[in-house]
Amino acid sequence: VPSKLLSLSSVKGGNITRMDLDPETYTTLNSEILKTKRYVRDAVSIRQSSSYILAELIADSFRKPFKLFLLPFNIIRAGYSLKRERKSVADSEVFFPELGRINPESRRESIVFFPTNGVGFGHYTRCLAIATKLQQKKPEAEIIIFTTMPTLSAASNLGFITYHLPSRYKYGGMEAREWNLLLEEFLGIVLTLHRPKIFVFDGAYPYRGMLNAIKGHDTVIKNWIRRGGEKSSSNSIPDDAVTKFDALILPGDTVPNPSDRYGSGKSILRVNPIMLIDSKETLPRGSLRQKIGCPEEAVLCYVQLGAGRINEIGSEIDITIKELLKIPGVIILIGESMLGERINFDNSRVRILRDYPNAYYYKDIDFAIIAGGYNSFHEVLEHSIPSICYPNLKTGRDDQLARCLVARDAGCMIVVRNRTKKTISAAIKRISNEKNRNLMKEKCKILHRPNGASEVSNWLADLL
């Protein structure tokens, strides 16, 4: 304010020093601005609630009587849109403060990954795979893992900064709206504190709290990793979700991943299947056998049928183990999920491995019995492990059957669709033949692909 104007006022003027943050330093979080943003979030939450939207629709119809005739149809349409969370951006356009960021253009050489938690490790593993390769290419870059997965130790041990927000179901009776507010505030603080250049989301469905959190960070390059293999009957994505991202990263699969499902006008990066451990990174043969006390001459079968929390697979495990024990010289290694309950099986030929990632030990595996999930499927192919696959037919989005049938047709996998004692026994007898296993191992090479994690990390390194 000019000094002449100040002299006419009773208010005493002073100088305010502008703080331009060094890109190498963290920002300052101002408690008053954080409190203001919290009030803004509460107001936005109310405006996005079903009761407010419907009440606003009715009130607007009474203000403009000609709309009364269309009110019943508008209510039905609004209800359908709310159910599908397709509320347009224009209806909820609210200014979000920059949460205390002094210079929003000042970005650090930092990247935030946000993998969600599904029934397994798919989203989490893909982000770790990319982050690990990026760390090797740009060791000076700061890599942050913000996730709803409880297994932060894997990311922390790799040297990444980690933040954990438990999923909504860990809170007793918490509504989705409340959890999204919690996610929005927590993620907003992380983005403000680190001032990243890039944000990477890996999940099947974008949370509303996440979309609100990234909304005010216009200079951040936002990417969404969406793997293929989705069923055609799976729910579509909200209209305004894709518009919040600058690019879509589509990891390869044996099942096509059409980009037209995700809207137009977005940058599309298609890459090979993303895996955490390359075949050259596995431990030498004998490392696992020494760890679990398995004789070198034994045939080691790796059994990994998911987290044990989906579709009651316990009976299938029981039948599988009993049929495997009928084969002389076979030692069974059960891959116990870090997300599942502890497994106990009282037999001298059964071992339990609770570790992550188990792919480090794949040189010791003679054959495997797996579910049809993205990670396990592509790992056994990459490491040329003859396998039996039990595709899960009851998943909401993942078309495991279509994925595994490609490997079956290539001759490197036995697919058991209808699991009974008879079909499981027949598959195990077939793969227990060493000649059949050697042939399947050679056939795996047909489906070998370079690791897509390197492709994505190269692209992100260029962006940084």
Side-chain angles (χ1 to χ4, degrees):
V1 179
S3 57
K4 289 184 178 180
L5 291 179
L6 279 178
S7 64
L8 301 176
S9 171
S10 59
V11 178
K12 297 297 182 182
N15 294 326
I16 299 177
T17 304
R18 177 180 173 85
M19 295 176 61
D20 288 317
L21 296 180
D22 186 332
E24 299 303 317
T25 64
Y26 295 97
T27 189
T28 303
L29 297 178
N30 185 294
S31 60
E32 289 300 318
I33 298 179
L34 288 174
K35 188 184 297 183
T36 301
K37 181 159 177 83
R38 196 171 296 120
Y39 294 146
V40 172
R41 287 193 183 118
D42 289 340
V44 171
S45 177
I46 293 172
R47 291 190 59 179
Q48 291 179 345
S49 66
S50 301
S51 56
Y52 181 91
I53 293 170
L54 292 175
E56 187 179 41
L57 179 62
I58 294 171
D60 185 58
S61 297
F62 277 96
R63 284 193 296 266
K64 301 173 182 177
F66 69 91
K67 290 187 176 183
L68 281 174
F69 298 102
L70 301 175
L71 182 59
F73 303 100
N74 289 336
I75 289 178
I76 294 174
R77 186 175 62 180
Y80 179 75
S81 297
L82 287 169
K83 183 179 180 181
R84 298 286 297 275
E85 294 188 7
R86 304 183 82 168
K87 192 172 186 298
S88 67
V89 178
D91 291 338
S92 58
E93 190 69 34
V94 176
F95 172 71
F96 285 83
E98 286 297 313
L99 256 180
R101 192 188 307 122
I102 303 300
N103 185 358
E105 300 301 325
S106 175
R107 292 287 169 186
R108 304 173 67 251
E109 195 168 30
S110 171
I111 178 170
V112 173
F113 289 90
F114 180 18
T116 62
N117 63 317
V119 296
F121 279 79
H123 307 300
Y124 186 70
T125 299
R126 278 190 295 275
C127 282
L128 280 192
I130 297 168
T132 302
K133 298 293 184 185
L134 182 61
Q135 186 183 53
Q136 295 169 1
K137 298 177 187 303
K138 293 187 74 68
E140 71 279 7
E142 180 185 64
I143 299 175
I144 300 99
I145 306 293
F146 177 94
T147 182
T148 52
M149 284 287 287
T151 51
L152 262 68
S153 58
S156 181
N157 291 339
L158 291 170
F160 305 136
I161 298 174
T162 57
Y163 296 96
H164 175 237
L165 174 66
S167 64
R168 178 168 68 92
Y169 304 103
K170 293 291 185 180
Y171 300 90
M174 178 177 283
E175 295 182 1
R177 182 180 65 85
E178 296 173 314
W179 186 83
N180 274 292
L181 283 172
L182 183 62
L183 167 62
E184 183 183 345
E185 181 149 350
F186 194 178
L187 180 58
I189 291 175
V190 171
L191 293 174
T192 298
L193 181 66
H194 293 278
R195 304 201 316 281
K197 291 182 179 179
I198 303 172
F199 174 77
V200 179
F201 170 65
D202 191 317
Y205 204 86
Y207 302 120
R208 178 59 58 181
M210 180 199 70
L211 295 178
N212 287 341
I214 66 177
K215 182 178 180 181
H217 298 264
D218 298 330
T219 58
V220 179
I221 302 172
K222 308 171 186 70
N223 307 279
W224 184 1
I225 301 176
R226 297 218 62 212
R227 62 154 177 75
E230 283 195 353
K231 296 178 179 178
S232 58
S233 59
S234 62
N235 294 333
S236 60
I237 302 302
D239 285 344
D240 66 329
V242 177
T243 63
K244 302 292 179 69
F245 296 91
D246 301 300
L248 300 178
I249 301 171
L250 307 183
D253 203 343
T254 56
V255 184
N257 192 358
S259 58
D260 55 6
R261 296 196 65 185
Y262 314 124
S264 59
K266 292 287 130 183
S267 296
I268 302 291
L269 178 66
R270 293 184 180 275
V271 298
N272 284 302
I274 295 175
M275 292 164 287
L276 180 55
I277 305 298
D278 296 331
S279 57
K280 62 184 178 182
E281 296 174 326
T282 52
L283 297 173
R285 184 176 174 87
S287 303
L288 175 62
R289 292 171 184 258
Q290 183 178 11
K291 180 184 179 74
I292 64 174
C294 173
E296 181 61 33
E297 65 276 8
V299 176
L300 186 57
C301 172
Y302 176 67
V303 179
Q304 172 58 274
L305 296 177
R309 291 181 177 180
I310 183 170
N311 303 325
E312 300 297 329
I313 62 175
S315 60
E316 292 178 2
I317 291 179
D318 186 59
I319 295 172
T320 300
I321 292 175
K322 288 178 180 178
E323 293 301 313
L324 283 169
L325 290 173
K326 294 179 182 179
I327 310 299
V330 171
I331 297 294
I332 304 165
L333 177 67
I334 300 177
E336 184 181 59
S337 172
M338 302 287 282
L339 300 176
E341 298 178 358
R342 291 283 182 176
I343 298 174
N344 294 307
F345 204 96
D346 188 15
N347 190 291
S348 60
R349 290 170 58 191
V350 177
R351 311 285 195 272
I352 308 295
L353 179 65
R354 189 179 178 91
D355 205 342
Y356 176 83
N358 291 343
Y360 278 123
Y361 306 109
Y362 276 177
K363 278 191 172 70
D364 277 297
I365 305 300
D366 293 301
F367 70 95
I369 301 177
I370 61 168
Y374 184 92
N375 282 12
S376 299
F377 174 83
H378 288 289
E379 284 174 353
V380 296
L381 290 183
E382 166 65 17
H383 297 275
S384 296
I385 301 175
S387 305
I388 298 172
C389 181
Y390 297 171
N392 190 331
L393 307 179
K394 298 180 181 180
T395 56
R397 288 180 173 271
D398 194 17
D399 196 347
Q400 295 190 4
L401 179 62
R403 175 183 296 125
C404 299
L405 288 180
V406 175
R408 182 203 65 181
D409 294 342
C412 55
M413 185 173 287
I414 301 170
V415 178
V416 185
R417 180 174 181 173
N418 300 310
R419 268 88 71 185
T420 64
K421 183 178 179 180
K422 183 178 180 179
T423 57
I424 291 174
S425 176
I428 289 174
K429 286 180 181 178
R430 180 179 166 191
I431 205 169
S432 62
N433 184 296
E434 186 176 3
K435 183 178 179 180
N436 291 339
R437 290 201 304 271
N438 290 337
L439 182 59
M440 294 172 69
K441 191 170 184 177
E442 285 298 313
K443 294 288 187 180
C444 283
K445 296 178 181 178
I446 298 173
L447 297 178
H448 280 186
R449 300 288 185 273
N451 192 347
S454 296
E455 298 172 273
V456 180
S457 64
N458 287 336
W459 186 66
L460 294 176
D462 290 341
L463 291 179
L464 282 177

